[in-house]
Amino acid sequence: MYEMILNLDGEKKNLYEQIYEYIREEIRKGRIRCGERLPSTRILAGQLDVSRSTAQLAYEQLLSEGYIEAVPCKGYFVCEMDGLYHLEQETAVSEENETTETRKYLYDFTPNGIDLEHFPYAVWRKLSREVLQDDQKELFHLGDPKGEYALRKAISSYLHQARGVNAQPSQIVIGAGNDYLQMLLSRMLGTKRRIAMESPGYRHAYDIFQRLGYDCCTVSMDRYGMDVRELQKSGADMAYVMPSHQYPMGIVMPVRRRQELLQWAVMKEERYIIEDDYDSEFRYIGKPIPSLQGSDTCQKVIYIGTFSKSIMPSLRISYLVLPMRLLERYEQVGRSFSCTVSRTDQKMLQLFMERGYFERHLNKMRALYRSKHDILLGELRRMKGIKRIFGERSGVHLLVQMEDKRTEQELTDCAGQAGIRVYPLSEYCLDDRTCETMMLLGYATMKEEEIRTAAGLLERSWERGKR
């Protein structure tokens, strides 16, 4: 049996994608031979220290692309490749034009990731020592499937104060990332549903829902967010939205549109709204936008939150806030799944929140990101050729639209030749509708001086590349 040796990096991309790509390349290069048996999902998860659902998603992608096959009662085995990919790889190496994956960049305007230089490492180490030094034998048992009560209580208090979310600790379920929580919802609600998502939108969530077996459809947006009239015609009974800061467009859904969305959900018994509140902490002008869940009087909103943006992606702690009406279903189905987050990590996060470190960290990061936001915004506003800037005031990225008619590929290539990586909006379009030509520019991972330098290089590259 093949033993997996792989260093995963939670900051670059999703863990299951890294596992999938690694195994795919090992098969292509012949390091894993035809007919060789792969580890079970349980063993793979143990080898790589990931959740079993993450390992399962990686295998499902390999299965769907024909790299491996599942033999009942025996396991997963590598399919015959006939040397095809060896030829493709040699051809690719000889190409003169560099691909996005192989090109080396001086500066990367990634909309993902966070600033890691200003994390309170000393505090985290202190809490780690405190939790591990205390003789708390109970931390070595599985614990509550929903997660530690004390942490759920701390999250409940924080959500009520900061986001206007109405939630008792009993309504909160903790899991290792949104992928797991989506899987948990699919077990609770069933997959014989049609789920509507905004386009452009969060592609990873869309892909996960599809792989879980949902019938996914897309609904276009206007300047207020998801078009409810189009949603009504779609036949969907679930809607996935980001009303406080839509990704990637940065739209804040106004009160009237929120009420229309809630009214849509109330019209049928089994309709639900999934509210993804992924980065609501980072708003730079005015007060934070209240959650949609806080306005829900009919128990129709399922709220998803995460600490990936506010603390660190590798912490892998996300949470669901279930409507009261779904708690009985959770008791019937969800409790069969153990909590996928270490009790030690849960305890550390609980203390981090209870002792005020989380609030202080958020205030610090909010000020830091606002400074970076203002620097990039200022550089973009003085650039020639930019028609419009979107997504101001919150989040950790901006969108720019050019005055000329160059394609996204032309703009991306011009930037790449100068050593700058930018991200076209079309990567986030979930259907075949034509997206406007825009570029995403993230700034969280860059230093302030790097933002200025990269923006200058970007401006010159786009000026040189004009027709």
Side-chain angles (χ1 to χ4, degrees), residues 97-116:
N97 296 326
E98 292 179 305
T99 64
T100 301
E101 288 73 17
T102 59
R103 177 181 288 152
K104 301 297 183 182
Y105 294 95
L106 298 173
Y107 301 101
D108 189 346
F109 279 107
T110 175
N112 303 312
I114 62 171
D115 185 309
L116 293 173

Side-chain angles (χ1 to χ4, degrees), residues 156-199:
S156 173
S157 176
Y158 163 72
L159 290 176
H160 179 71
Q161 174 267 325
R163 305 295 303 121
V165 170
N166 300 312
Q168 299 298 320
S170 61
Q171 293 174 256
I172 296 174
V173 181
I174 294 169
N178 287 13
D179 304 356
Y180 169 77
L181 298 179
Q182 288 176 250
M183 183 275 293
L184 187 60
L185 281 176
S186 73
R187 302 282 75 81
M188 291 171 54
L189 300 175
T191 55
K192 293 182 179 180
R193 291 175 172 271
R194 188 172 177 83
I195 183 167
M197 297 190 67
E198 302 155 316
S199 184

